[in-house]
Amino acid sequence: MAEPRISSIDGKLAEEFAAPSHVEEVKDKMAAFAEHHAAAGRRVVLITSGGTKVPLESRTVRFLDNFSSGRRGACSAEYFMDSGYAVIFLHRHRSLYPYTRMFSTINMLDALQFRGEDGASGEVVVNQQVLPNIVKALKRYHEVKDGRLLLPIEFNTLSEYLHLLKAAAQALSTIGSKAMFYLAAAVSDFYIPASEMPEHKIQSSNGPLQLSMNMVPKILSPLVKDWAPQAFVISFKLETDAAILLDKARRALDTYRHQAVVANVLDSRRGYVVVVTPETQSELILTEEDVKNEVEIEERIVSNLTSAHEKFITQQVG
Amino acid sequence: MAEPRISSIDGKLAEEFAAPSHVEEVKDKMAAFAEHHAAAGRRVVLITSGGTKVPLESRTVRFLDNFSSGRRGACSAEYFMDSGYAVIFLHRHRSLYPYTRMFSTINMLDALQFRGEDGASGEVVVNQQVLPNIVKALKRYHEVKDGRLLLPIEFNTLSEYLHLLKAAAQALSTIGSKAMFYLAAAVSDFYIPASEMPEHKIQSSNGPLQLSMNMVPKILSPLVKDWAPQAFVISFKLETDAAILLDKARRALDTYRHQAVVANVLDSRRGYVVVVTPETQSELILTEEDVKNEVEIEERIVSNLTSAHEKFITQQVG
């Protein structure tokens, strides 16, 4: 397979994807965050999370999207912080968020009640039968906030994602191998270039819709080679067809020359993943016992990768 | 304009859109809800809210979506209940919800704190400086719950939406003109029939994506003529181009012969709408003063339509 030409990807990014206006400001913030934590002896992980929105019209009513609640990214962020990392959380607007993800399946008003019999106190308290883990989550949330361990950055569209990821890679390049990229977001493979996009809502009275979408440039290539060449980089591969999964994971490693691929199948992604590196292939599996004990597979993934990152750093130094 | 043939729409629905397995159960629930409230002298409104998901693969990774937070529907539901209506809230999974919509812009953990200085009480309370309206919202939420005024039904895909709306129309037909349909959901105009959909994730290695999408049958037609012919039916028209808006609204009324179209433009939708009926055209506008006083335009829309519904019922009876 021919290697993608880096310069052309970078050029395409500038030409066909509108950069968000705050990208330089965010980049400075990420660089300061990374330097601060690296100076304090912490490693820093950039987590991407959630799906990307691909507009079909420039005043957008319709868009293409990727299935992703952002659960894996949000959940992994918590385990990385538990392992001593500082986390830049580059996530889709309204996707799941560390610690607050526990509220995602309930109606918050069902978890609140007036304090005292008649509510005369005017105080509203959490019903801990509905939210049994709230005390633990709130404490940990405060610790993370006090320690400034989490820097949240939002994206919505594919364009925003691509530009912010580039900015993050450049911001983290200063801390070299202490940086990990954990690219869990579900990024669209297809887009409509701004120059080919209609301004207004596509009219259904014009008949059936023919869409022709270009391929999104493979940003992993300049990220690994150009923007953050010393970093420890993990990509994710999600397929619905288990038969092609590992082959695709190996091919990605051959093409981009990064450190690992976390490979998973849509239906079993919460209980089974394979961490593929150039030399190894580790199956991580939750047993029935694990599920009963509410173990999350992200704890295993993060444990596997933080060990590998540790080794990687030692080898770079040595 | 030739009228769509009803029988063909109904047939298409059965053939090309998979019905959710619980549709009959939901229909019975909606019929019981409507009859109970009509017997108690209440009118019933079916509100649809949020965007529809149109899968591109049968094991769905990618989908087409419509811009909609569900704010208009969730907000309108509250005003309808304040006006004495019982509400069936047919909404997209995770779109905004009546009363809880106030939490949508904040991180819930930022609104919670331990009670007492050191948190030794183990109680978690709401910080009412962060959520100043929580007491009012929680009281109203409890009233609505105690009065069983709100029946929430979720959809995710376009297919689920279409089948559940049909079921709702049939369920509400028994209460005749006391039923209002307030069709605020942003429904896709295009879809890929199940027979033409690939099973697995579309591979980007196959090159650029060509999509050919069929037009979604106009369900408003059988709804008005066949399923709920006595009901008071409101559709919504959202455009990005103000120049074509009113013309499209009038054409919809001519075609489907329902009672009103709420017409709005994407950029100004929170401060300006036009309620178009066969005989009238009412502009509803929020002034700067209104905005300062946190008046929501949905209050005006609901007030306009409940009056019109009242007249409509009187005319039917007379």
Side-chain angles (χ1 to χ4, degrees):
Chain A
M1 186 179 286
E3 282 185 28
R5 285 186 19 233
I6 289 167
S7 58
S8 77
I9 289 178
D10 225 353
K12 210 167 215 170
L13 194 57
E15 273 166 39
E16 297 190 1
F17 298 90
S21 58
H22 65 315
V23 66
E24 287 302 318
E25 186 193 324
V26 172
K27 188 175 172 176
D28 292 346
K29 216 189 263 181
M30 293 189 287
F33 180 87
E35 277 158 36
H36 165 77
H37 285 293
R42 273 178 215 106
R43 290 181 235 152
V44 179
V45 61
L46 181 287
I47 297 177
T48 68
S49 187
T52 58
K53 179 170 168 173
V54 176
L56 303 189
E57 301 126 342
S58 56
R59 302 200 199 185
T60 309
V61 174
R62 301 191 177 90
F63 55 95
L64 196 76
D65 210 330
N66 279 59
F67 165 81
S68 174
S69 66
R71 212 194 63 84
R72 177 149 285 162
C75 184
S76 300
E78 296 175 15
Y79 291 112
F80 273 114
M81 289 185 283
D82 290 347
S83 310
Y85 278 69
V87 174
I88 301 177
F89 188 59
L90 180 57
H91 64 291
R92 168 74 174 269
H93 179 61
R94 292 209 182 171
S95 63
L96 294 189
Y97 195 86
Y99 309 110
T100 49
R101 68 186 170 102
M102 67 188 289
F103 306 127
S104 70
T105 53
I106 62 152
N107 179 330
M108 195 59 210
L109 288 174
D110 287 329
L112 297 179
Q113 58 193 20
F114 290 108
R115 187 159 176 274
E117 295 256 315
D118 56 355
S121 72
E123 275 191 296
V124 176
V125 302
V126 172
N127 179 343
Q128 297 191 24
Q129 288 182 313
V130 179
L131 282 181
N133 297 318
I134 185 66
V135 167
K136 198 176 145 210
L138 188 58
K139 275 193 180 145
R140 189 66 187 131
Y141 180 72
H142 286 166
E143 283 167 11
V144 160
K145 217 168 170 180
D146 293 344
R148 296 183 187 173
L149 294 175
L150 179 66
L151 176 62
I153 311 280
E154 283 193 354
F155 65 85
N156 209 348
T157 64
L158 172 68
S159 291
E160 289 164 1
Y161 168 84
L162 292 173
H163 282 284
L164 290 169
L165 179 57
K166 178 179 174 181
Q170 292 174 330
L172 291 185
S173 65
T174 55
I175 65 163
S177 62
K178 282 182 188 154
M180 186 195 296
F181 288 80
Y182 184 86
L183 306 173
V187 182
S188 179
D189 290 309
F190 305 105
Y191 77 107
I192 299 181
S195 57
E196 291 172 28
M197 210 183 286
E199 181 186 358
H200 286 295
K201 185 180 176 188
I202 298 164
Q203 293 297 318
S204 63
S205 49
N206 298 344
L209 182 64
Q210 301 293 333
L211 279 182
S212 179
M213 304 187 76
N214 289 9
M215 288 173 65
V216 173
K218 298 293 185 189
I219 198 165
L220 196 51
S221 182
L223 189 150
V224 172
K225 287 202 177 170
D226 247 25
W227 302 332
Q230 295 179 288
F232 187 72
V233 179
I234 316 300
S235 71
F236 281 70
K237 187 63 86 183
L238 174 76
E239 293 293 339
T240 57
D241 184 356
I244 63 172
L245 182 65
L246 289 179
D247 182 50
K248 294 208 67 174
R250 288 249 159 258
R251 260 199 280 171
L253 282 179
D254 287 348
T255 307
Y256 304 110
R257 308 262 160 203
H258 58 306
Q259 282 66 43
V261 174
V262 178
N264 56 146
V265 173
L266 187 63
D267 293 337
S268 60
R269 69 192 185 283
R270 291 199 181 180
Y272 177 77
V273 308
V274 187
V275 180
V276 185
T277 74
E279 303 82 24
T280 64
Q281 192 162 306
S282 315
E283 289 189 317
L284 307 181
I285 305 169
L286 291 190
T287 63
E288 276 178 40
E289 188 69 15
D290 290 332
V291 174
K292 214 188 300 163
N293 295 328
E294 300 187 350
V295 175
E296 293 175 309
I297 198 157
E298 287 76 13
E299 186 176 352
R300 305 274 165 85
I301 300 174
V302 168
S303 162
N304 178 298
L305 293 175
T306 52
S307 301
H309 190 196
E310 178 113 41
K311 258 188 231 159
F312 177 81
I313 293 172
T314 319
Q315 287 163 353
Q316 303 297 101
V317 173
Chain B
M1 188 179 285
E3 284 186 25
R5 288 193 8 241
I6 291 169
S7 57
S8 76
I9 291 178
D10 226 355
K12 211 165 215 173
L13 194 58
E15 273 167 37
E16 297 190 0
F17 298 90
S21 59
H22 65 318
V23 66
E24 287 302 319
E25 184 192 325
V26 172
K27 189 176 171 177
D28 292 345
K29 217 189 261 182
M30 294 190 286
F33 180 85
E35 277 157 37
H36 164 77
H37 285 293
R42 272 179 217 105
R43 292 180 233 152
V44 179
V45 61
L46 180 286
I47 297 177
T48 67
S49 187
T52 58
K53 180 168 167 173
V54 176
L56 303 188
E57 301 126 341
S58 55
R59 302 200 196 184
T60 309
V61 174
R62 300 190 177 91
F63 56 96
L64 195 75
D65 210 330
N66 278 58
F67 164 80
S68 175
S69 66
R71 213 195 62 85
R72 175 147 289 160
C75 184
S76 301
E78 297 175 16
Y79 291 113
F80 273 113
M81 289 186 281
D82 290 345
S83 311
Y85 278 69
V87 174
I88 301 177
F89 189 59
L90 180 58
H91 64 289
R92 167 73 175 271
H93 178 63
R94 292 210 181 174
S95 64
L96 294 190
Y97 194 85
Y99 310 110
T100 48
R101 68 186 170 105
M102 66 188 292
F103 307 128
S104 70
T105 53
I106 61 153
N107 179 328
M108 195 60 211
L109 288 174
D110 287 328
L112 297 178
Q113 57 193 19
F114 290 107
R115 185 159 177 276
E117 295 257 315
D118 57 354
S121 72
E123 275 191 295
V124 176
V125 301
V126 172
N127 178 345
Q128 297 192 24
Q129 288 182 312
V130 179
L131 282 180
N133 298 318
I134 185 66
V135 168
K136 198 177 143 210
L138 187 58
K139 276 194 180 143
R140 188 67 186 130
Y141 180 72
H142 286 165
E143 283 166 11
V144 159
K145 216 169 172 180
D146 293 343
R148 295 181 190 177
L149 294 174
L150 180 66
L151 177 63
I153 312 281
E154 282 192 353
F155 65 86
N156 209 348
T157 64
L158 171 68
S159 291
E160 288 164 1
Y161 168 84
L162 292 173
H163 282 283
L164 290 169
L165 179 58
K166 178 180 174 180
Q170 293 173 330
L172 291 185
S173 66
T174 54
I175 65 163
S177 62
K178 281 182 189 155
M180 187 195 296
F181 289 80
Y182 184 87
L183 305 173
V187 182
S188 180
D189 291 308
F190 306 105
Y191 76 107
I192 299 180
S195 56
E196 292 172 29
M197 212 183 285
E199 180 186 357
H200 285 296
K201 185 179 176 189
I202 300 164
Q203 292 298 318
S204 64
S205 49
N206 298 345
L209 182 64
Q210 301 293 332
L211 279 182
S212 178
M213 304 187 76
N214 289 10
M215 287 173 65
V216 174
K218 298 294 184 187
I219 198 165
L220 197 50
S221 183
L223 189 149
V224 172
K225 288 202 177 169
D226 247 25
W227 301 331
Q230 295 179 286
F232 187 72
V233 179
I234 316 300
S235 71
F236 281 71
K237 187 62 86 181
L238 174 76
E239 293 292 341
T240 58
D241 185 355
I244 63 171
L245 182 65
L246 289 179
D247 181 52
K248 294 207 68 175
R250 287 248 158 259
R251 260 199 279 170
L253 282 179
D254 286 349
T255 307
Y256 304 110
R257 308 264 160 199
H258 57 306
Q259 282 65 45
V261 175
V262 178
N264 57 145
V265 173
L266 186 63
D267 293 338
S268 61
R269 69 193 185 282
R270 291 200 181 178
Y272 177 77
V273 308
V274 187
V275 180
V276 185
T277 74
E279 302 83 22
T280 64
Q281 192 162 305
S282 314
E283 290 190 315
L284 307 181
I285 306 170
L286 291 189
T287 63
E288 276 179 39
E289 188 69 15
D290 290 332
V291 175
K292 215 190 297 164
N293 294 329
E294 300 187 351
V295 176
E296 293 175 309
I297 198 155
E298 288 74 14
E299 186 176 351
R300 305 274 164 86
I301 301 174
V302 168
S303 162
N304 178 298
L305 293 175
T306 51
S307 301
H309 190 197
E310 178 113 41
K311 259 188 231 159
F312 176 80
I313 293 173
T314 318
Q315 286 164 355
Q316 304 296 104
V317 173

